[in-house]
Amino acid sequence: MCYITKANSRRILKKISINSIGEVSGEVYKKPIFFFSNFEIKYLLLMQSLLKEPEKFAIEFYHPIVNKDTYSYVFESEAKPSYHMNKDCERLNSTFSNFEIPFEIKARVRDFATKEGKTESEIENIEIMEVSNFRDWFKKKIDLFTKNPEYFLKQLEIRWNVKRNIREIKIETSGFEHIENINLSELENEIDKKLTESGRFFVNNKDKQHIIRRFQKLTFLAYSKDPIKANDTELSDDELRKFLLDYDTKFKKPVKDLLIEYYRIKFNPELSFEGKLLERLNFRPCSTCCQNQISSFKIPINSLSNDDEIESLPF
């Protein structure tokens, strides 16, 4: 069997257009949960299907969408995530660093190309070429960035006229968790406890009950800056967004996370799958712990040995 991280199990669902999928049968939990939207219910049922019946999931639901490169980060192209044959693989339990493309690069290109009378399409193409050149340059200098940052900054200024450091973004991989003695009833108790808290919150806040009834399934509005057209409450849009953000943070997100963990422990505690199935889900064998198996999976070696972009992604 092969293993993936919890983060990458969620990444599978991010690769599909959930809204385009028809009805998904099943129950989110043993009791009704009323504050989830149809989208959230479908997401949870799809996660349950992935963990419980991965072959069925791959056949019925997995129709991946292609994410557009925004050319904002060094590692943003469509590198495939890895699956692992060794639970102790160093890449399964490591930290991934990404780096922002300095805004000065695009700005300088746009300013020059505009003065030259280039069209918007031509400007965008030039920006893409310049960002691609920066990515190639940075990947060759990444050791210098880590070991000798002062000299790296000098090189950055000389080559790109950028007089500040690159912003580094660190992402902890979720790693593999070997779970044997988890009591599902304890996890159910945690879910029930959080649902009880949300019910108590509703009862104790009589002046907010109409808002909860109206917007409990629409908490995504808290993350948008657009005017809330359906705001028929006494709250301003900003006040309503704050209330929905608090409600989402205190109740909905914790319950969703607990439910996903519940599905994992109940159906697939080790996040183990067949290698061929994972390839269908756009995964590749880890070049560290699957080295001896790479040839048997018939994946071209050169697709795995891209010097920096692929191999520096430890998922």
Side-chain angles (χ1 to χ4, degrees), residues 32-252:
I33 300 177
F34 298 105
F35 53 44
F36 286 146
S37 67
N38 290 335
F39 179 90
E40 290 167 323
I41 290 172
K42 189 179 292 186
Y43 177 92
L44 289 167
L45 290 175
L46 287 170
M47 179 61 75
Q48 189 180 128
S49 174
L50 169 64
L51 297 172
K52 184 179 181 181
E53 303 174 293
E55 286 283 354
K56 178 181 178 182
F57 173 88
I59 294 171
E60 294 188 7
F61 304 122
Y62 187 70
H63 306 289
I65 55 177
V66 177
N67 294 328
K68 185 178 179 181
D69 192 341
T70 66
Y71 297 94
S72 299
Y73 301 94
V74 171
F75 300 113
E76 198 178 2
S77 59
E78 288 296 301
K80 293 183 179 181
S82 294
Y83 63 81
H84 306 263
M85 300 193 74
N86 182 353
K87 299 174 186 177
D88 299 316
C89 177
E90 61 185 21
R91 290 184 179 273
L92 189 57
N93 302 279
S94 56
T95 300
F96 165 55
S97 291
N98 208 341
F99 308 87
E100 287 187 347
I101 303 293
F103 71 87
E104 294 94 333
I105 292 176
K106 285 186 181 181
R108 191 160 50 245
V109 166
R110 179 164 289 273
D111 183 60
F112 176 78
T114 301
K115 290 178 181 178
E116 291 292 308
K118 302 293 184 181
T119 66
E120 183 63 27
S121 177
E122 290 173 328
I123 292 173
E124 288 180 0
N125 287 335
I126 296 171
E127 283 180 341
I128 289 171
M129 290 175 57
E130 194 71 351
V131 169
S132 298
N133 289 336
F134 178 82
R135 283 173 168 171
D136 292 340
W137 177 86
F138 183 83
K139 290 167 192 174
K140 293 175 182 177
K141 302 288 185 180
I142 195 166
D143 285 342
L144 187 64
F145 173 86
T146 303
K147 297 175 181 177
N148 193 340
E150 288 189 12
Y151 187 59
F152 171 83
L153 284 172
K154 291 180 181 179
Q155 294 287 309
L156 181 67
E157 182 176 356
I158 292 171
R159 174 63 180 85
W160 299 98
N161 195 26
V162 174
K163 301 178 181 181
R164 60 180 179 84
N165 210 344
I166 304 296
R167 182 167 176 253
E168 182 177 7
I169 303 167
K170 290 185 177 291
I171 304 171
E172 294 286 340
T173 61
S174 54
F176 170 79
E177 295 184 23
H178 186 65
I179 298 177
E180 291 180 344
N181 299 317
I182 289 293
N183 189 331
L184 277 177
S185 66
E186 293 177 0
L187 188 51
E188 288 180 356
N189 288 338
E190 288 299 313
I191 297 171
D192 293 341
K193 179 181 176 182
K194 188 58 65 174
L195 293 176
T196 299
E197 287 177 8
S198 69
R200 189 179 298 116
F201 179 82
F202 178 83
V203 171
N204 293 339
N205 290 272
K206 295 186 182 301
D207 61 328
K208 297 292 191 298
Q209 288 179 359
H210 64 296
I211 299 176
I212 297 172
R213 287 194 186 98
R214 179 74 176 82
F215 288 98
Q216 62 183 343
K217 296 183 179 182
L218 305 176
T219 49
F220 64 88
L221 294 172
Y223 305 92
S224 171
K225 294 298 183 183
D226 295 333
I228 302 177
K229 297 179 182 178
N231 185 2
D232 53 3
T233 72
E234 69 280 5
L235 302 179
S236 68
D237 282 3
D238 286 342
E239 290 170 335
L240 180 56
R241 272 190 283 266
K242 183 178 184 304
F243 178 82
L244 294 178
L245 180 62
D246 289 342
Y247 190 83
D248 197 40
T249 303
K250 289 178 181 176
F251 305 119
K252 295 185 69 176

Side-chain angles (χ1 to χ4, degrees), residues 246-262:
D246 289 342
Y247 190 83
D248 197 40
T249 303
K250 289 178 181 176
F251 305 119
K252 295 185 69 176
K253 280 188 174 181
V255 172
K256 278 186 281 190
D257 289 340
L258 285 167
L259 283 170
I260 292 172
E261 191 70 357
Y262 178 76

